[in-house]
Amino acid sequence: LPFDQFLTWQLAGDLIPDATQDQRLASAFNRNHPFNGEGGRIPEETRVENVMDRTETAATAFLGLTVGCARCHDHKFDPISHKEYFSFYAYFNQSSETGGFEYVNGGNVLPVMNVTSDAERRNLAFHQKAATDAADKLAGKLPEIDAAQAAWEKSLPDGEVLPPAVGDALAVAADARSEEHKQQIRDHYRARMSPEYKALSDAANAAKKTAVDFEGGLTKVMVMNDATPRDTFVLDKGAYNSPTDQKVEPGVLAVLNPLPPDAPRNRLTLAKWLVDENNPLTARVTVNRYWQQFFGTGIVKTSEDFGVQGEHPMHPELLDWLAVEFREPSVPGAIHAWDVKAMHRLIVTSAAYRQSSKVTPQAFERDPENRLISRGPRHRLPAVVIRDQALAAGGLLVEKLGGPPVKPYQPPGIWEEATFGQIKYEQDHGDALYRRGAYVFWRRIVGPTGFFDASSRSVCTVKPNLTNTPLHALTTLNDVTYVEAARALAQRAMQNCDDESPEKLIATAYRYVTGRKIGQTERGVLVAALARLKGQYADDKDAAAKLLSVGERKRDEKLDAVEHAALTGVCLAILNLDEVLNNE
């Protein structure tokens, strides 16, 4: 999907004419903020904070601006006024969300949409039509029941005990009865006296319940809508309960490109404004983050702040050229404008990226942070990439796209500790254990334990921290995921080597992980380690069996347990090499 369309769907997919399910679903991006459900919480306070979160996230993610500084007053450094903040805020202030606790299917808060497969949509339509037809039949003309009612009226014995209103209506001559009289008699007869009507009523209720129950069991996702227009007022010091009398209309930052004069003031117009060719920031901010992803540091180091307080681009011409290439590609392989994959390909195939990361003392003294791009990048890989890489090397990675989140291995008691024992972690099994990290379930108050340096997911974060601590090594050397990946890597090497010599096994495993041939010195160290481990596990076969039982993936029992365990130890060391844990 071209990035300009992706951005448009994320910000305003629900406002696209004849929006598809995918387009409406994409607007869930705007609802992905924490929702405070504490007792005593004031709904309007929650709603306003959510709108501010959407406003500031859009500005940070797509414009690289710290507009949040203008929530309470004019920005101290950038040309963004307090009033302009609330004009920008007004785009996101039109949703029917109230900030209250209208929970749907657990933690979802209105407005929501059903996310359905084709079969589910057909089944829902079938059940809804059945319910409508049954209700229409019940509310329509029922001549047979009306005839039975007329016969009942004629045969009604004297002294029949009836509700007073019904008795009074029956006492009136048939041709003199009002519509109210007729309705009272009809309702009484159908509800109390007619088994035929009761059967129809029961059928209608059952059909309605079936439709409601089916619809209630569908997957629901919080999305955006612009239901009833809501006036927006500047809030004094950003406080939800301190509106001023200064009313504002949706608008953009005056320092940037203007809006088309005749465009509707909604999020769809805002999205189009962001990707307009005259917008100076969106393309630059985006390609700068791609550069940051591959080089560790952006061309503009402060990728979260392109304002006055941000760092000037180290290579402004390069940033401008990349931004134009992104919007108007001339590079080979680009299929369309705003082609993300083509931009990634352009960066990683460039001479700048393909340089060696080796550095001399003299070059390091002159360019310690590699801001001059005097060498190839070298930086710690994100934890999610390290995990996926280990699974892939062991042949365990399940590359299926999409689907529900997964819950892989995690030490016991983590969720329970964070939730006072209220929520327990239920680990998945089978292929779910080996899905990409992108699909791992996140609980904001306690994220996946193996994803160190990840953001809290509570606020928009575009500049990740990259660190290296002993805690990381404890994870990559001892966590079930990595030990199992090492075991699978060893098995993969043993199954795919015609020559089962130690040198060949180690060279094969090494190449699976690093993508290069092993050096002579490296081979010597690892062969010696393999011999030492073989001796240890030959003397302690229980330890070998224990190591080979780590993880749920069954091992090939035809392989010699001692050799497999020894090679597993070597493979775990390979997975923890500096060049494997770093991009270099």
Side-chain angles (χ1 to χ4, degrees):
L1 193 69
F3 184 81
D4 58 338
Q5 290 185 36
F6 168 79
L7 183 155
T8 301
W9 291 17
Q10 296 274 293
L11 281 187
D14 58 304
L15 299 180
I16 296 173
D18 300 318
T20 65
Q21 175 174 274
D22 283 350
Q23 289 169 334
R24 292 181 60 214
L25 179 61
S27 73
F29 167 76
N30 300 280
R31 302 290 308 284
N32 199 28
H33 41 64
F35 191 90
N36 191 332
E38 294 178 359
R41 183 71 168 176
I42 300 171
E44 180 62 8
E45 180 181 14
T46 295
R47 190 193 70 81
V48 168
E49 285 187 0
N50 289 347
V51 176
M52 288 177 170
D53 183 50
R54 294 171 204 146
T55 303
E56 294 163 21
T57 293
T60 300
F62 305 123
L63 295 173
L65 295 178
T66 56
V67 301
C69 297
R71 179 194 293 196
C72 303
H73 47 69
D74 290 349
H75 201 294
K76 297 298 184 183
F77 302 101
D78 297 335
I80 303 171
S81 70
H82 187 41
K83 180 180 178 182
E84 280 182 322
Y85 174 91
F86 283 98
S87 291
F88 202 76
Y89 165 104
Y91 284 112
F92 301 94
N93 194 34
Q94 308 307 313
S95 171
S96 64
E97 179 188 358
T98 66
F101 308 125
E102 307 94 337
Y103 288 128
V104 179
N105 278 27
N108 290 314
V109 182
L110 295 174
V112 301
M113 68 171 284
N114 293 324
V115 181
T116 58
S117 64
D118 290 341
E120 287 173 328
R121 282 193 291 275
R122 289 194 299 269
N123 290 339
L124 178 61
F126 173 82
H127 293 309
Q128 289 177 334
K129 185 178 186 304
T132 300
D133 290 348
D136 290 346
K137 185 174 182 180
L138 191 65
K141 293 182 178 181
L142 302 170
E144 294 180 0
I145 294 176
D146 290 341
Q149 176 186 328
W152 168 76
E153 291 180 33
K154 291 178 181 180
S155 63
L156 191 66
D158 293 338
E160 177 77 15
V161 179
L162 296 168
V166 176
D168 293 344
L170 285 168
V172 179
D175 57 356
R177 291 171 185 164
S178 66
E179 286 300 320
E180 183 180 358
H181 289 148
K182 295 175 183 178
Q183 188 67 44
Q184 287 172 335
I185 298 169
R186 183 185 302 115
D187 289 347
H188 174 76
Y189 176 79
R190 292 183 174 184
R192 302 289 184 85
M193 311 303 296
S194 173
E196 295 83 6
Y197 186 84
K198 182 179 184 304
L200 290 175
S201 178
D202 289 347
N205 289 335
K208 180 180 179 181
K209 184 177 186 304
T210 297
V212 169
D213 289 348
F214 185 84
E215 196 272 341
L218 297 173
T219 299
K220 289 178 170 51
V221 176
M222 298 185 294
V223 291
M224 291 292 285
N225 66 354
D226 279 3
T228 304
R230 180 186 281 115
D231 290 337
T232 299
F233 295 87
V234 173
L235 301 178
D236 184 31
K237 297 182 179 179
Y240 79 96
N241 58 351
S242 299
T244 67
D245 57 3
Q246 190 174 15
K247 182 178 177 181
V248 293
E249 297 297 328
V252 297
L253 309 180
V255 71
L256 301 177
N257 51 308
L259 286 170
D262 56 345
R265 299 300 180 94
N266 58 25
R267 281 178 287 110
L268 186 57
T269 295
L270 174 64
K272 293 178 179 178
W273 172 81
L274 285 168
V275 296
D276 186 271
E277 63 179 6
N278 294 314
N279 190 304
L281 286 176
T282 304
R284 287 180 174 87
V285 167
T286 304
V287 298
N288 186 67
R289 282 209 304 275
Y290 296 156
W291 190 273
Q292 173 184 270
Q293 179 179 345
F294 292 112
F295 279 85
T297 304
I299 299 171
V300 175
K301 187 175 184 179
T302 54
S303 54
E304 76 287 1
D305 188 0
F306 272 55
V308 172
Q309 290 291 94
E311 184 198 67
H312 284 214
M314 182 62 70
H315 306 280
E317 296 88 352
L318 174 59
L319 181 65
D320 289 350
W321 181 80
L322 287 171
V324 173
E325 282 294 331
F326 192 37
R327 286 192 334 216
E328 306 163 18
S330 62
V331 296
I335 300 174
H336 43 64
W338 301 90
D339 188 329
V340 175
K341 288 185 177 180
M343 179 52 57
H344 288 183
R345 185 183 301 111
L346 174 65
I347 292 174
V348 300
T349 58
S350 67
Y353 185 81
R354 288 158 55 204
Q355 296 178 96
S356 169
S357 60
K358 293 180 180 178
V359 58
T360 63
Q362 296 79 9
F364 184 80
E365 182 178 0
R366 182 185 178 197
D367 185 20
E369 296 184 6
N370 198 27
R371 303 308 311 286
L372 301 177
I373 320 176
S374 58
R375 55 188 179 275
R378 186 184 186 281
H379 56 87
R380 182 80 164 186
L381 290 171
V384 64
V385 175
I386 294 174
R387 174 185 176 274
D388 289 355
Q389 174 179 258
L391 293 176
L396 297 174
L397 186 67
V398 174
E399 299 191 32
K400 172 186 172 184
L401 296 179
V406 296
K407 296 176 182 175
Y409 304 115
Q410 179 168 292
I414 302 296
W415 280 18
E416 291 83 348
E417 179 71 21
T419 63
F420 304 100
Q422 297 300 307
I423 303 176
K424 296 183 178 180
Y425 186 84
E426 298 291 341
Q427 178 194 301
D428 285 331
H429 303 281
D431 284 353
L433 295 172
Y434 314 109
R435 299 289 313 273
R436 291 186 184 277
Y439 298 106
V440 171
F441 185 95
W442 272 81
R443 184 168 293 284
R444 276 195 177 96
I445 59 173
V446 51
T449 55
F451 289 175
F452 32 82
D453 285 345
S455 69
S456 68
R457 304 294 177 100
S458 294
V459 295
C460 176
T461 304
V462 297
K463 188 176 181 181
N465 292 319
L466 296 175
T467 63
N468 182 8
T469 76
L471 291 177
H472 298 182
L474 289 174
T475 297
T476 56
L477 283 169
N478 297 285
D479 186 81
V480 175
T481 297
Y482 294 95
V483 176
E484 184 179 29
R487 173 169 66 81
L489 173 60
Q491 177 171 302
R492 186 183 177 198
M494 294 173 75
Q495 290 175 332
N496 290 282
C497 275
D498 296 330
D499 178 3
E500 296 186 2
S501 65
E503 292 80 1
K504 184 64 175 179
L505 287 171
I506 288 172
T508 301
Y510 195 92
R511 191 159 192 174
Y512 281 147
V513 178
T514 65
R516 68 174 178 84
K517 292 182 179 180
I518 190 170
Q520 185 174 351
T521 301
E522 297 160 324
R523 183 189 293 110
V525 171
L526 293 177
V527 167
L530 181 62
R532 182 176 67 254
L533 289 171
K534 276 186 180 180
Q536 292 177 4
Y537 286 122
D539 294 336
D540 189 353
K541 294 185 179 179
D542 288 343
K546 185 176 180 180
L547 176 62
L548 296 177
S549 67
V550 173
E552 292 193 2
R553 182 62 61 90
K554 300 297 183 184
R555 85 176 197 94
D556 185 351
E557 297 293 342
K558 296 178 182 178
L559 300 177
D560 181 82
V562 170
E563 292 188 5
H564 190 183
L567 188 57
T568 295
V570 172
C571 287
L572 188 59
I574 294 173
L575 290 175
N576 278 271
L577 289 174
D578 190 67
E579 70 175 281
V580 176
L581 300 177
N582 290 275
N583 179 35
E584 59 179 31

